[in-house]
Amino acid sequence: MSYKTVQRLHPAMRDDIGDLITQRPLPGPRIEQVDPFLFLNHHGPQVYPPHNRGLPFGPHPHRGFETVTFILDGLLAHRDSAGHESVIGPGGVQWMTAGRGLVHAEVSPREFMQAGGPLEILQLWVNLPPALKMTAPRYTGLQRDQIPVIESEDGKVRMQLVAGEYGGVTGPFESLTGVFMSTVEMKAGGLLYLDKLLERNVFLYVVRGVINIAPDTITAFHLAELDTVADELEIRAEQDCLLLLGHAEPIREPVVSHGPFVMNTREEINQAILDYQAGRFGAPI
């Protein structure tokens, strides 16, 4: 047994979208992906005034991967061309498999645009292997109280288990590729331990606070790139913190991306564009 160590830290880069504060640690100047994790946008935290225009993510297409969206604060309305629709509140999660293609919108519901309020959202893109890129689209949106929380004996660690298994508990979202996904709240001095990580890539982003993975200290708005050869991971909170923590087996296949499409070859990208233009991603929304 051996403990994973930090190979490199990647700061989130500021890239606002209109009036939406946005920081992006992945991809970054020194990292393309943490296979199979492709992309992370951290929107907010910020407070929207009353009578705002809401989020700017109107109808747009996707093919070849999955989006996992964590609503840390605020409200997020989802609608897609496969007929799924929901409004998810603080602490909730949306998991969408774009697969062979759909069109979706992620916008603010009317009540949020009228009243305003705090907003903080994380959106993570997870790649699919070649055999699953053209799978049927699917979507699940769950509120905070529908997602189990595992608490340490000392009360200093609370893991919201989104997908995968931890401590005999299984998360409610079913990953097609065995992805483990969670958010973790830790109080200063808290300790989190994970094992069975050999040959799995860990995705670890510090949303707020400060943690330590010996001997390195990691502060908010940083992605930690860890080694793949060790089996165990130990995280200690130096301050109260919130983490986005996942792990998965790498796909190890070529990645060719073009905007909202992620495939394995340029020819597949060209076909995705043609299929979208021909209306093959479903009825307009």
Side-chain angles (χ1 to χ4, degrees):
M1 296 291 186
S2 58
Y3 285 96
K4 290 187 178 293
T5 58
V6 177
Q7 303 299 293
R8 185 178 287 176
L9 294 176
H10 303 276
M13 310 299 289
R14 187 74 176 259
D15 188 17
D16 292 357
I17 303 170
D19 59 3
L20 177 62
I21 296 171
T22 300
Q23 301 193 72
R24 183 178 306 116
L26 187 74
R30 298 189 298 171
I31 187 169
E32 287 295 321
Q33 63 170 327
V34 182
D35 187 11
F37 305 102
L38 298 168
F39 173 99
L40 178 67
N41 261 354
H42 182 176
H43 303 300
Q46 67 191 100
V47 177
Y48 273 73
H51 309 294
N52 64 79
R53 293 176 296 174
L55 291 167
F57 306 117
H60 57 281
H62 288 302
R63 172 180 279 184
F65 64 101
E66 302 182 284
T67 65
V68 188
T69 308
F70 305 82
I71 298 88
L72 303 181
D73 211 347
L75 296 171
L76 181 62
H78 170 96
R79 185 174 75 255
D80 67 45
S81 57
H84 307 112
E85 192 168 351
S86 68
V87 176
I88 302 297
V93 176
Q94 301 176 342
W95 193 304
M96 185 187 80
T97 302
R100 63 181 176 235
L102 49 61
V103 177
H104 78 147
E106 298 162 300
V107 297
S108 300
R110 186 177 302 277
E111 59 263 40
F112 183 86
M113 290 191 286
Q114 289 177 343
L119 181 83
E120 187 172 16
I121 292 172
L122 305 173
Q123 185 170 93
L124 178 67
W125 292 12
V126 182
N127 201 9
L128 289 171
L132 292 174
K133 282 196 175 292
M134 297 298 284
T135 195
R138 64 180 192 171
Y139 169 83
T140 303
L142 298 179
Q143 307 289 358
R144 180 199 298 270
D145 61 4
Q146 297 174 290
I147 304 172
V149 173
I150 304 165
E151 186 168 343
S152 63
E153 289 186 4
D154 63 6
K156 291 186 175 182
V157 180
R158 288 172 51 85
M159 174 186 286
Q160 184 191 48
L161 184 58
V162 174
E165 189 272 337
Y166 186 85
V169 179
T170 300
F173 291 87
E174 180 188 358
S175 166
L176 296 174
T177 54
V179 171
F180 173 93
M181 186 54 58
S182 68
T183 60
V184 184
E185 293 180 275
M186 302 179 72
K187 295 185 181 299
L191 184 67
L192 176 66
Y193 171 82
L194 289 89
D195 62 1
K196 300 179 182 178
L197 298 174
L198 189 64
E199 298 302 322
R200 289 178 75 85
N201 280 342
V202 173
F203 185 92
L204 175 59
Y205 176 68
V206 182
V207 180
R208 52 180 172 264
V210 181
I211 63 170
N212 181 271
I213 298 176
D216 295 286
T217 296
I218 308 161
T219 57
F221 301 105
H222 280 82
L223 174 74
E225 183 182 354
L226 306 180
D227 70 76
T228 60
V229 295
D231 182 69
E232 300 168 284
L233 174 63
E234 189 172 83
I235 302 171
R236 185 177 299 276
E238 293 191 0
Q239 299 176 5
D240 292 358
C241 60
L242 175 64
L243 313 177
L244 179 58
L245 175 63
H247 57 78
E249 291 185 10
I251 295 172
R252 297 190 177 95
E253 292 286 346
V255 174
V256 180
S257 61
H258 179 83
F261 308 129
V262 180
M263 304 301 289
N264 299 112
T265 67
R266 174 54 57 183
E267 290 73 23
E268 290 171 338
I269 291 291
N270 293 338
Q271 187 62 53
I273 295 170
L274 291 173
D275 288 347
Y276 170 60
Q277 292 173 340
R280 299 189 185 105
F281 281 26
I285 59 173

